[in-house]
């Protein structure tokens, strides 16, 4: 870890009146916090954590209370905020409060309605990003198309990073199939992000509610759970 960077963060924490005793990389710190929150029985299962932060996404795979693999990628909510702002013709990135009003199942509606997104439901549409393949009731404007494409590209990259991490870990390490993915960070606050990810290619619900995993099949999880 870069010493100068650590000193900067240490100064911020000290300035807030906190006296830290241990410093750790983000993925390991998040892993320890999640294991403590889940409790001994749940933590003994095989699962993954995807923390979609503002600038980075930390992916951690667990089995029997132990960390199997970790990966941090420079792809976070800030990317989505910038790309959507560009698509909408704004010079400044969107704030997280604005992204919370985004409906990831129908991103083309973003900015055209002031209502809050509806309650989350699992997407049933076909395609690698369910919901994006639904035919709009009206012909979208060029701006709506741009917003939809920006949201699609951001989600595709996120899903690809999760899949690649899991596939690499499956080749290099021995662990039981993951039963669920815990989603946290700013990404968990983006409107209806979870149902899209829960139906995305490689992370779809198994038909019998169980987990289907093999060398020939992509990762499948039974639940995508938000961790506050």
């Amino acid at each position: 870890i870069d010493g100068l960077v650590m000193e900067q963060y240490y100064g911020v924490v000290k300035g807030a009146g906190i006296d830290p005793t241990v410093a750790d990389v983000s993925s390991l710190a998040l892993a320890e916090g999640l294991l403590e929150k889940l409790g001994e029985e749940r933590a003994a299962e095989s699962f993954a954590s995807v923390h979609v932060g503002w600038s980075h996404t930390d992916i951690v795979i667990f089995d029997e209370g132990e960390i199997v693999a970790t990966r941090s990628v420079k792809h976070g909510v800030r990317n989505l905020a910038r790309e959507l702002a560009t698509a909408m013709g704004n010079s400044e990135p969107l704030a997280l409060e604005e992204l919370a009003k985004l409906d990831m199942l129908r991103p083309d509606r973003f900015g055209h309605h002031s209502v809050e997104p509806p309650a989350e439901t699992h997407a049933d549409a076909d395609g690698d990003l369910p919901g994006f393949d639904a035919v709009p009731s009206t012909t979208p404007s060029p701006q709506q198309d741009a917003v939809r494409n920006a949201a699609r590209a951001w989600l595709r990259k996120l899903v690809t990073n999760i899949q690649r991490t899991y596939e690499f870990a499956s080749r290099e390490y021995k662990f039981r199939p993951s039963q669920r993915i815990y989603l946290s960070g700013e990404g968990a606050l983006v409107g209806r992000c979870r149902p899209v990810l829960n139906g995305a290619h490689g992370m779809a619900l198994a038909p019998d509610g169980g987990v289907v995993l093999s060398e020939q099949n992509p990762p499948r999880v039974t639940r995508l759970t938000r961790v506050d």
Side-chain angles (χ1 to χ4, degrees):
I1 301 176
D2 190 299
L4 292 176
V5 173
M6 280 299 303
E7 286 295 328
Q8 291 174 356
Y9 282 107
Y10 181 76
V12 171
V13 174
K14 287 287 289 184
I18 302 173
D19 188 16
T21 57
V22 177
D24 214 336
V25 295
S26 58
S27 56
L28 296 182
L30 288 165
E32 291 176 2
L34 178 58
L35 287 172
E36 182 177 353
K37 182 179 179 65
L38 292 178
E40 186 174 342
E41 182 177 352
R42 181 62 61 83
E45 298 175 352
S46 181
F47 58 92
S49 165
V50 177
H51 184 88
V52 186
W54 186 248
S55 61
H56 288 73
T57 293
D58 290 301
I59 305 165
V60 187
I61 298 174
F62 302 82
D63 190 21
E64 298 184 342
E66 300 289 335
I67 297 175
V68 176
T70 67
R71 184 181 178 217
S72 182
V73 294
K74 196 173 182 180
H75 180 69
V77 175
R78 179 169 58 190
N79 300 80
L80 178 63
R82 288 174 174 173
E83 290 158 12
L84 285 179
T86 299
M88 297 173 69
N90 298 339
S91 58
E92 296 294 328
L94 300 178
L96 184 59
E97 292 77 10
E98 295 175 280
L99 294 177
K101 299 177 182 179
L102 171 67
D103 182 352
M104 273 296 193
L105 291 177
R106 286 301 305 274
D108 54 291
R109 295 176 178 173
F110 186 53
H112 293 267
H113 299 278
S114 59
V115 297
E116 294 294 319
E120 291 183 359
T121 57
H122 292 296
D124 294 322
D126 294 329
D128 57 347
L129 290 177
F132 280 100
D133 297 317
V135 179
S137 56
T138 58
T139 302
S141 67
Q143 185 184 89
Q144 287 176 305
D145 268 339
V147 168
R148 184 170 183 266
N149 291 335
R152 179 201 288 265
W154 183 81
L155 279 168
R156 282 186 187 279
K157 188 170 182 179
L158 178 61
V159 169
T160 297
N161 279 312
I162 296 172
Q163 289 176 319
R164 287 178 177 174
T165 302
Y166 198 98
E167 289 165 0
F168 171 80
S170 298
R171 291 195 304 268
E172 299 295 324
Y173 308 105
K174 184 178 180 179
F175 60 96
R176 295 174 298 170
S178 294
Q179 295 179 314
R180 58 176 60 81
I181 291 179
Y182 291 97
L183 181 68
S184 61
E186 287 87 343
L189 303 177
V190 175
R192 302 188 83 185
C193 184
R194 279 190 296 158
V196 175
L197 288 177
N198 211 22
H201 176 66
M203 292 191 291
L205 294 173
D208 60 356
V211 182
V212 181
L213 268 173
S214 71
E215 293 181 359
Q216 290 76 33
N217 294 325
R220 291 180 179 269
V221 300
T222 56
R223 288 179 292 279
L224 188 67
T225 307
R226 174 172 163 179
V227 178
D228 296 315

